[in-house]
Amino acid sequence: METQELHRGRLIDHIQLVVRDLAASRTFYEAVLGVLGISIGGADEGYFWADELFVSSADSLAAQGHLTGRHHLAFQARDEAAVKAFYEAALAHGGKDNGAPGPRPYHPGYYAAFVLDPDGNNIEAVFHGPAQRSGPSVKITF
């Protein structure tokens, strides 16, 4: 297989999920993101956010009363142990199994786990195998 480059921080600025039960979703996402080293960045009565993920209730101004449909989101994990921790945290905090941790055929080294969040979104944690990064993340200051 030829060498590939992955770029982050240039396609998606943020994504919003509109959920039925904001408290249940916050419990779930705090747990799964926490084991991946991402904390909740902020919250208010009708929403919370973490990095590029924005989650709100249907009655928030941004949602205009509509739930989002089913989405697939894949979070980066630093290693296979983080993928396993993500999966365990998800199942312990309202998630449902949608694919236990293990190698996947997408490319050599692809190791992932899949769970359904409280609203049925397919949430994945993926480790792409050993790779050299130019930096831990894209840092934007404004």
Side-chain angles (χ1 to χ4, degrees):
M1 177 175 261
E2 66 184 67
T3 302
Q4 296 181 16
E5 288 186 358
L6 297 176
H7 295 267
R8 299 293 181 242
R10 67 178 192 182
L11 178 61
I12 303 296
D13 184 79
H14 65 276
I15 187 166
Q16 177 182 3
L17 297 177
V18 181
V19 299
R20 288 184 302 263
D21 185 339
L22 188 64
S25 290
R26 180 160 179 180
T27 297
F28 174 84
Y29 283 102
E30 274 186 319
V32 300
L33 293 174
V35 300
L36 297 176
I38 306 295
S39 60
I40 299 299
D44 203 343
E45 187 175 318
Y47 68 87
F48 66 89
W49 62 270
D51 281 5
E52 294 89 357
L53 178 63
F54 184 84
V55 180
S56 67
S57 60
D59 59 354
S60 72
L61 290 176
Q64 299 178 355
H66 301 284
L67 298 174
T68 49
R70 186 170 189 251
H71 292 289
H72 174 182
L73 301 177
F75 299 129
Q76 295 181 51
R78 69 186 161 280
D79 53 29
E80 291 181 6
V83 171
K84 292 173 185 173
F86 157 89
Y87 181 78
E88 292 167 7
L91 297 183
H93 292 89
K96 294 181 182 169
D97 171 58
N98 200 32
R104 300 295 192 266
Y106 311 133
H107 68 68
Y110 200 109
Y111 187 91
F114 299 84
V115 296
L116 299 178
D117 77 359
D119 281 87
N121 293 296
N122 183 25
I123 309 300
E124 173 185 1
V126 57
F127 173 59
H128 288 284
Q132 184 174 350
R133 289 180 172 260
S134 61
S137 67
V138 175
K139 182 177 179 182
I140 301 170
T141 304
F142 57 92

